[in-house]
Amino acid sequence: MKNFTEMKRAGQRITALTAYDYPTARLLDESGIDIILVGDSVGMVVLGYEDTTRVTLPEMLHHTRAAARGVKRALLVADMPIHTYDSPEQAVASARELVGAGAQAVKLEGGASHARHIEAVVQAGISVMGHIGMLPQSVREEGGYRLKGRSQSEVEQLIQDGHAVEKAGAFAVVLEIVKSDAAKQITDAVGIPTIGIGSGEHCDGQILVTHDLIGLFPWFTPKFVSPAGRVADEIRRAATAFIERTQSGSPLSNGRNA
């Protein structure tokens, strides 16, 4: 595990992307990414759920095992799904299951409200990444994905959350959909790295859902993402070509058994 705090002090930006399967995890690992997150975003971009609130621990264990088989050098972090860390004791039990599936660290949502949960998991010998700002597991209560840090009181609360996560022992904290200047204040205030998603350029690192980055989920792309690829278009092109060759009676290339 890299010393991410040292990277923050040295001004080295931390890179993180999501993976939910063996080939994607292996490709990201071979590309030199610092952190691979088996995110509960798997619910939307792989499993077809409306949001992350239907993702279960067995589903996260399944995808963590798959991703872990492809990772040799990056830090593999697994999300703890909703209602798997309602108490510190449950958080420790769930974290142990994810580590047993191959994760090297876990991530859970919540700041000061979940400091005890983070502390319990860290004391159990498991590394924790925090997550503050917009909390996707609370999207139904929030009524959507809302920008955080728009008022000074919100900024002060986020800074308190960052300090609480740090004091509890987290090695880094994700800032999701936080106003850019607020994200800078949080980043300057805490000693652990901040990993931003939709939170501007001032964080110590950045994370994206890989499907958004490569254009593999074309039905919805967050406003803060500029896809670097169009994989969905390539899949459609290849599938269309296969259909046309098959229907015309052209010989097909040999492939692995279905």
Side-chain angles (χ1 to χ4, degrees):
M1 181 171 172
K2 289 186 176 181
N3 190 325
F4 294 108
T5 301
E6 285 300 321
M7 291 181 69
K8 175 187 176 85
R9 291 171 181 163
Q12 299 175 359
R13 294 299 177 95
I14 299 163
T15 59
L17 288 167
T18 62
Y20 321 103
D21 55 52
Y22 169 81
T24 305
R26 181 170 176 175
L27 287 168
L28 296 181
D29 193 61
E30 292 175 350
S31 298
I33 202 79
D34 294 316
I35 298 171
I36 295 174
L37 172 68
V38 186
D40 58 2
S41 50
V42 66
M44 291 96 78
V45 299
V46 175
L47 301 178
Y49 297 152
E50 183 179 352
D51 52 44
T52 67
T53 62
R54 290 185 58 189
V55 177
T56 64
L57 183 58
E59 287 170 336
M60 288 302 302
L61 293 171
H62 172 84
H63 289 282
T64 298
R65 291 188 190 100
R69 297 182 189 111
V71 177
K72 293 185 182 299
R73 53 162 304 281
L75 178 71
L76 185 68
V77 181
D79 258 337
M80 300 181 69
I82 191 171
H83 298 315
T84 64
Y85 54 98
D86 290 339
S87 69
E89 295 77 16
Q90 186 189 28
V92 172
S94 300
R96 283 175 172 156
E97 288 199 60
L98 289 165
V99 169
Q104 297 166 292
V106 297
K107 179 169 75 65
L108 61 83
E109 297 181 7
S113 63
H114 284 75
R116 290 175 54 245
H117 305 63
I118 294 171
E119 185 176 10
V121 175
V122 171
Q123 288 181 349
I126 299 170
S127 298
V128 177
M129 176 183 283
H131 186 143
I132 63 175
M134 175 59 210
L135 307 180
Q137 292 175 7
S138 301
V139 65
R140 297 190 180 188
E141 291 88 338
E142 292 270 341
Y145 296 90
R146 308 295 186 188
L147 179 68
K148 301 297 182 178
R150 288 177 292 184
S151 67
Q152 187 56 38
S153 62
E154 273 196 351
V155 173
E156 291 172 359
Q157 181 60 59
L158 286 168
I159 292 174
Q160 290 176 19
D161 284 337
H163 282 307
V165 167
E166 178 182 10
K167 185 178 179 180
F171 70 89
V173 59
V174 170
L175 307 184
E176 181 158 357
I177 315 182
V178 174
K179 193 175 178 182
S180 179
D181 57 351
K184 184 178 187 306
Q185 291 182 59
I186 301 164
T187 300
D188 291 343
V190 299
I192 58 175
T194 58
I195 312 296
I197 177 166
S199 298
E201 62 183 11
H202 302 297
C203 298
D204 298 305
Q206 298 290 331
I207 184 169
L208 284 177
V209 172
T210 296
H211 286 60
D212 295 335
L213 175 67
I214 66 177
L216 185 53
F217 195 83
W219 305 281
F220 172 76
T221 301
K223 295 179 181 179
F224 54 81
V225 177
S226 298
R230 299 290 177 186
V231 173
D233 293 343
E234 289 300 303
I235 292 174
R236 287 172 172 150
R237 182 197 61 76
T240 300
F242 169 77
I243 293 166
E244 291 174 350
R245 289 200 309 269
T246 300
Q247 292 176 341
S248 68
S250 301
L252 303 176
S253 59
N254 292 326
R256 70 185 72 205
N257 293 331

